Amino acid sequence: MTETPHTQPEPARILLVEDNPGDVRLTKEAFKQGRIENDLYVVSDGTEALEFLSKHGEYADVPRPDLILLDLNLPGKDGEDVLEDLKADPKLQSIPVIVLTSSRAEEDIARSYELHANAYLTKPVDPDEFIETVRAFEKFWFSVVRLPPEVDPQ
């Protein structure tokens, strides 16, 4: 898309995979306060995330996300399993995945990067710090970084 001074860039499409309603609310609040226009999609477990990404069932018409925010501690299929499946799929592996989790465990950090996470952020306990972390992430990923194009458009 060619931008002229009068057009807005398309909103960033973000998939948040998070089962904690409080963290979902804080993330939405942080994005609302941010300057980057975005469409935030939320799923609450790993199975639902993979259905969204593969456009199965109720997700047949959803857009491909530009970025995925992934919690590790999910019910059922956990975040590591989602990350492993995602990065093994040639159609989806180019989507950047940012692990956003409460775990500070070294083995979780190491394993996330082994599975090709693009970044690992630890959720602050303080709500204001949480919002600031999400806003800093948003500014970096959508103002500084160039995101990859879709590999296999549908």
Side-chain angles (χ1 to χ4, degrees):
M1 176 175 125
T2 305
E3 280 187 38
T4 64
H6 301 291
T7 62
Q8 292 292 322
E10 288 186 22
R13 295 177 309 249
I14 303 165
L15 175 61
L16 174 62
V17 186
E18 174 60 70
D19 65 319
N20 180 321
D23 288 348
V24 169
R25 185 180 48 74
L26 284 173
T27 303
K28 285 180 176 180
E29 181 64 28
F31 281 128
K32 195 163 87 174
Q33 291 179 14
R35 296 203 170 127
I36 311 298
E37 190 176 334
N38 65 74
D39 293 329
L40 183 65
Y41 301 87
V42 181
V43 295
S44 59
D45 65 48
T47 302
E48 201 177 352
L50 292 172
E51 287 175 3
F52 184 103
L53 291 163
S54 57
K55 300 184 178 202
H56 284 153
E58 68 180 286
Y59 301 110
D61 297 324
V62 297
R64 172 189 165 98
D66 296 310
L67 191 84
I68 299 167
L69 279 174
L70 177 65
D71 187 16
L72 290 182
N73 305 311
L74 297 168
K77 187 181 271 286
D78 71 14
E80 281 186 3
D81 291 337
V82 171
L83 187 55
E84 191 166 20
D85 289 355
L86 179 67
K87 293 302 182 178
D89 186 330
K91 291 180 182 173
L92 302 172
Q93 65 189 187
S94 67
I95 301 171
V97 178
I98 290 76
V99 172
L100 180 62
T101 188
S102 55
S103 174
R104 297 180 183 276
E106 293 290 325
E107 59 269 17
D108 286 343
I109 297 168
R111 182 73 179 137
S112 293
Y113 283 115
E114 285 169 12
L115 293 171
H116 306 288
N118 296 83
Y120 190 101
L121 301 175
T122 303
K123 295 178 193 171
V125 175
D126 178 74
D128 290 334
E129 287 179 25
F130 184 100
I131 288 172
E132 192 52 44
T133 296
V134 172
R135 290 183 68 194
F137 138 84
E138 175 191 44
K139 183 176 181 185
F140 175 74
W141 281 96
F142 295 112
S143 297
V144 179
V145 172
R146 294 212 37 198
L147 297 172
E150 189 170 339
V151 174
D152 185 19
Q154 295 187 10

